[in-house]
Amino acid sequence: MAERKIFAGPRVRRVRLGLELTQTAMAEALGISPSYLNLIERNQRPLTVQLLLKLASVYKVDLDTLQGEGGGLASQLREVFADPLLAGEIPGDQEIIEVAEAAPNAALGLMKLYRAYREQAARLSDLADLLAREGHETSIAETRLPIDEVRKKLERRPNFHARIEDAAEAFATKLGAGDELPVALKAWLKSEHGIVARTLPVHAMPNLRRRYDRHSMRLFLSERLSPFDRTRELAMEVVLLALGQEIAAELEDLGFSTGEARRIGRFELARYAAHALMMPYGAFFSAAQRARYDLDVLRSRFDVSFEQAANRLTMLARPDAGGIPFFLLELDHAGNAIRRAGAHGFPQARFGGLCPRLGIHAAFAQPGQILVERVEMPDGAAFLALSRTLEGPQAGFGERVRRTAILLGCDLSHASETVYGEALPGPAGTVLAGTACRLCERQGCLSRAEPPVTRPLGLDEMVTGLSAFDFQ
């Protein structure tokens, strides 16, 4: 019988200590020397198949216990060390396995501490949101990653950058594109910088939207993109060259703390500037007022996508020519927030946007349709909300379509200024929403996914409410 060597010293030690045996007593029962057993326990000698069978017969030990018990615990420890807080302390797989096997109780204690830390962090975040809703700012630092810092700063300020708007409007006038913006953008790149723009097939650029080759002076765009998105990618390349100073000045004002955050912020500002170039402020503002903010009319008039027109509506915050203060939320199927923006900053404290009752979640069941609803929050604030799905880059056969949904909202007092106000349901059809389940105290909500952080659960064996999380 061929021997299979197993290094399981910590497990043998736990068996011995559990039986309250000395090394000498166990070694004598196994027919080996105490020094050899000591080497086994320190993983300097293997536990052979013969010794494994001897342990099983003498001490009635389960062989599975000796052949590997730390797998599940090791995977849980990997989750702990994958946390960004421990980014510089990640041990190798072998070290994690050794910890799980040598000190399983300590590893379990570490897991409990980590779970308690995550739960406490979630509760602190919820309480910070609650305090912000009540008008009390907190200094709790919740941002860790550069993308979180960028999103936090951009979401809390008006979605308006005056220097970029002025420069983009002047550049659009100089460009004189008319109805052929993509052609004009390609011509400008060629004449001013010698850059040639080309569309590449999927097999040549399977994972990228846009790539600029500095050596050949060519800009490649993916054929996966819709014509509207290709135009935006062209516009982004143009504004980074033509409006570089204005973008840099706005980036400096935002005051990001790291180089990576500044890089992400520069990309977001370039995206903003591209929208400003595709839909110049004055022309778009006038058209929006005349069309009563009808997104389908605006997207057709400026030859842009629904998403681009909706984003542009949140940017109409020029002091002398301000539009309706719209805000925008984009979510994916799982409810992850991809983008938040608003003319006055996204109303996180008042609106939240993560309530399961909102139409943005129902929009996935009705792709391409605009859902109009009247939303009322627990404090009585009321909003007009439009929801619609968006299609991502073109998927190939066998690929799953990437679909997100956006919610475009404004205070209900502005509803009559839009074409959508006429489609609002009566008061009986009002959607009674909350900012988020953990901050909402509406009782009897069939959509509740979590208990409120502000109320104890009502654990009454004699009474069961409609919600899975009844509270007092």
Side-chain angles (χ1 to χ4, degrees), residues 161-173 242-243 246 277 318:
H161 301 276
R163 278 174 288 215
I164 291 178
E165 290 288 357
D166 294 342
E169 198 165 20
F171 183 78
T173 302
L243 310 182
E246 290 78 8
L277 177 58
R318 184 175 277 174

Side-chain angles (χ1 to χ4, degrees), residues 122-169:
R123 292 180 70 83
L124 284 173
S125 178
D126 291 336
L127 287 171
D129 288 342
L130 179 62
L131 290 171
R133 186 181 67 179
E134 299 296 332
H136 305 288
E137 288 295 328
T138 68
S139 59
I140 298 175
E142 59 191 36
T143 297
R144 293 182 191 154
L145 301 178
I147 184 63
D148 296 325
E149 179 186 358
V150 173
R151 286 178 173 174
K152 185 175 178 180
K153 287 200 174 186
L154 293 180
E155 288 168 9
R156 294 189 175 185
R157 69 179 303 282
N159 192 26
F160 179 76
H161 301 276
R163 278 174 288 215
I164 291 178
E165 290 288 357
D166 294 342
E169 198 165 20

Side-chain angles (χ1 to χ4, degrees), residues 164-218:
I164 291 178
E165 290 288 357
D166 294 342
E169 198 165 20
F171 183 78
T173 302
K174 178 182 176 182
L175 196 62
D179 295 331
E180 297 295 333
L181 182 60
V183 174
L185 293 175
K186 290 180 180 179
W188 186 87
L189 286 171
K190 176 66 175 175
S191 63
E192 297 295 326
H193 296 275
I195 298 173
V196 177
R198 289 185 53 198
T199 300
L200 289 187
V202 175
H203 70 268
M205 199 165 67
N207 301 319
L208 300 175
R209 299 170 63 92
R210 166 172 57 106
R211 183 172 72 84
Y212 173 55
D213 189 332
R214 297 176 185 273
H215 302 290
S216 63
M217 299 294 285
R218 288 184 294 178

Side-chain angles (χ1 to χ4, degrees), residues 161 163-172 181 235 239 243 269-282 284 302 308 312 315 318:
H161 301 276
R163 278 174 288 215
I164 291 178
E165 290 288 357
D166 294 342
E169 198 165 20
F171 183 78
L181 182 60
V239 297
L243 310 182
L269 290 176
R271 190 173 185 273
Y272 178 99
H275 285 148
L277 177 58
M278 294 165 67
M279 297 163 274
Y281 194 102
F284 188 81
F302 288 88
Q308 291 166 357
R312 190 60 172 141
M315 305 173 188
R318 184 175 277 174

Side-chain angles (χ1 to χ4, degrees), residues 66-137:
L66 294 172
Q67 292 188 76
E69 114 188 353
L73 190 55
S75 65
Q76 295 180 61
L77 284 176
R78 288 189 190 95
E79 178 189 350
V80 173
F81 286 100
D83 191 284
L85 187 65
L86 301 175
E89 308 292 338
I90 301 176
D93 276 354
Q94 186 57 41
E95 188 174 347
I96 288 177
I97 293 171
E98 289 175 2
V99 170
E101 293 184 347
N105 291 332
L108 285 172
L110 180 62
M111 286 300 306
K112 288 180 180 179
L113 281 174
Y114 177 70
R115 292 192 184 109
Y117 152 73
R118 290 293 301 270
E119 177 63 23
Q120 192 72 3
R123 292 180 70 83
L124 284 173
S125 178
D126 291 336
L127 287 171
D129 288 342
L130 179 62
L131 290 171
R133 186 181 67 179
E134 299 296 332
H136 305 288
E137 288 295 328

